Amino acid sequence: MQTNWTRLTDNQWELMKDYVDWQRKRKLNLRDVLDAIFYIVRTGTQWRNLPREMFPDWQAVYYYFDKWKKNGAIKRMNAAFNRLERQLKDRKASPTLALADSQSIKLAPMIYEHRGVDGNKTVNGRKRHILVDVTGRIYSTHICLFRSN
């Protein structure tokens, strides 16, 4: 678990708000919601352990995370920031070379009924396939379940 996390800067928020803010009145500040999501991703904490003194309730944060994931806002944000970072490093906006790797993810017993064993690592659970460019920016992930025969 990593503990060094920082809030979004004003410049980062200016770039992100177009993807998540749809110009309607809200009780929650969407910047705080994004900060909470990045806090969870960075530190690996569970949704229910989100610090209440720093962020909105975890249920509200999860609602927006699920909504943005389903409507593709998170993918659009990731693609836009990948393009921006590549341009800042004097590269073409789209990568011409991508690297693929996979990672086995262990599951506790009885979490999902359709699973098997990764033959090479003897790990029960899932395999995550990751596609990155040469600078290490993630472009795509895909999770496969192992099938038991």
Side-chain angles (χ1 to χ4, degrees):
M1 183 160 85
Q2 298 179 2
T3 55
N4 51 347
W5 165 84
T6 58
R7 290 193 175 270
L8 291 173
T9 64
D10 291 335
N11 291 337
Q12 290 170 332
W13 171 244
E14 285 299 317
L15 293 171
M16 287 186 182
K17 75 177 181 180
D18 295 334
Y19 294 97
V20 297
D21 190 15
W22 290 290
Q23 305 301 323
R24 65 176 263 243
K25 291 191 176 204
R26 302 179 190 282
K27 292 181 181 177
L28 291 178
N29 182 354
L30 293 182
R31 185 174 181 170
D32 290 340
V33 171
L34 268 175
D35 279 336
I37 291 170
F38 289 135
Y39 178 85
I40 289 171
V41 170
R42 182 67 178 165
T43 62
T45 190
Q46 296 176 354
W47 288 100
R48 291 178 188 260
N49 293 339
L50 195 61
R52 289 185 181 182
E53 61 278 357
M54 294 172 59
F55 303 112
D57 288 338
W58 73 268
Q59 294 96 334
V61 173
Y62 183 78
Y63 166 80
Y64 281 104
F65 170 74
D66 190 50
K67 179 179 177 178
W68 294 335
K69 184 175 70 170
K70 286 179 181 173
N71 73 14
I74 291 177
K75 282 187 178 183
R76 288 192 304 275
M77 264 193 288
N78 187 45
F81 287 115
N82 284 345
R83 282 192 305 273
L84 181 64
E85 184 169 323
R86 288 184 63 80
Q87 289 169 347
L88 289 174
K89 292 184 177 183
D90 294 329
R91 294 184 168 269
K92 293 181 181 176
S94 296
T96 56
L97 179 65
L99 308 166
D101 198 3
S102 59
Q103 175 183 43
S104 296
I105 309 164
K106 290 184 179 181
L107 289 176
M110 306 301 280
I111 285 184
Y112 196 82
E113 59 189 56
H114 302 296
R115 66 168 201 230
V117 177
D118 178 7
N120 295 332
K121 297 183 181 179
T122 62
V123 173
N124 283 332
R126 302 175 282 194
K127 185 170 269 193
R128 179 174 27 213
H129 301 284
I130 304 168
L131 186 66
V132 298
D133 69 353
V134 294
T135 62
R137 300 286 299 175
I138 295 176
Y139 275 82
S140 179
T141 59
H142 180 73
I143 296 178
C144 298
L145 298 172
F146 301 141
R147 298 183 188 254
S148 51
N149 294 332

